Amino acid sequence: MASSRKKVVVRKLNRDWLAGYLPSEGFARQGNLELLDLSGKVLILSIQQLKWVCFVRDFNSGEPQNPERLLRKNFAGRPRGEGLWLRLQLQDGDALDGLAENNLSLLAPEGFFLTPPDLRGNTQRVWIPRSALISWEVIAVIGASARKKPLPEERPQQGDLFLPQGASPHPLL
């Protein structure tokens, strides 16, 4: 197994799920995913059947109904990271908030990545196939924190205007 493969939990629209390994990028090709399952078999999955792909820390969550442990699906307040705060409505009725990068990756035809609301949970990133979406809206564009002000330009040294009593402005005088 290549070291570039990451642990994933693939959730289908019918609520079934599979665990396995996928590359971190470029895994969706021609409407399919090639998932290396836990027994070492390569499974071809149609993107049309998928709800999401969760890149997880661990497979042993102890929850057979929710192995991705994506418990919090909405932000409690303003997200701390940078990006586009998106709210997604999925075909199975679920809603999910997440942060997407503010770049052209949102235009990928197969799907896009989100950072979930709970970064301390098992799920680190979520890939959402476009076919699983009913709608999505941008809640906010969150930019970088305020940049530091540039240092003031160095000014030329001003000569001594007020000399001590008895001192001459010319050193030779």
Side-chain angles (χ1 to χ4, degrees), residues 54-74:
C54 291
F55 287 78
V56 296
R57 297 179 202 276
D58 192 13
F59 290 129
N60 301 324
S61 70
E63 299 179 41
Q65 298 303 317
N66 190 13
E68 60 266 64
R69 282 192 312 205
L70 194 58
L71 301 176
R72 232 177 67 209
K73 296 181 183 176
N74 297 72

Side-chain angles (χ1 to χ4, degrees), residues 7-147:
K7 297 176 184 177
V8 295
V9 172
V10 178
R11 178 72 66 173
K12 294 182 177 183
L13 287 169
N14 65 4
R15 304 279 181 179
D16 290 341
W17 61 272
L18 299 164
Y21 300 92
L22 283 176
S24 57
E25 299 284 334
F27 49 82
R29 285 186 221 113
Q30 300 172 353
N32 294 317
L33 296 180
E34 289 185 6
L35 177 73
L36 180 64
D37 74 358
L38 298 180
S39 66
K41 295 178 187 173
V42 175
L43 304 175
I44 307 294
L45 303 173
S46 171
I47 291 176
Q48 299 294 324
Q49 300 173 351
L50 303 182
K51 176 178 178 178
W52 58 47
V53 176
C54 291
F55 287 78
V56 296
R57 297 179 202 276
D58 192 13
F59 290 129
N60 301 324
S61 70
E63 299 179 41
Q65 298 303 317
N66 190 13
E68 60 266 64
R69 282 192 312 205
L70 194 58
L71 301 176
R72 232 177 67 209
K73 296 181 183 176
N74 297 72
F75 288 107
R78 179 183 180 273
R80 293 185 181 183
E82 289 182 41
L84 297 176
W85 176 3
L86 300 179
R87 181 157 297 146
L88 311 175
Q89 193 67 35
L90 303 173
Q91 281 187 15
D92 69 346
D94 262 351
L96 176 67
D97 281 9
L99 274 180
E101 290 185 25
N102 191 6
N103 60 26
L104 294 176
S105 66
L106 282 175
L107 301 177
E110 294 91 8
F112 54 90
F113 283 100
L114 288 179
T115 302
D118 188 7
L119 292 176
R120 293 172 293 192
N122 194 34
T123 299
Q124 297 172 314
R125 285 191 327 163
V126 181
W127 184 77
I128 306 290
R130 290 203 181 277
S131 59
L133 292 174
I134 292 176
S135 67
W136 60 290
E137 65 178 312
V138 177
I139 303 298
V141 178
I142 302 172
S145 59
R147 299 186 192 267

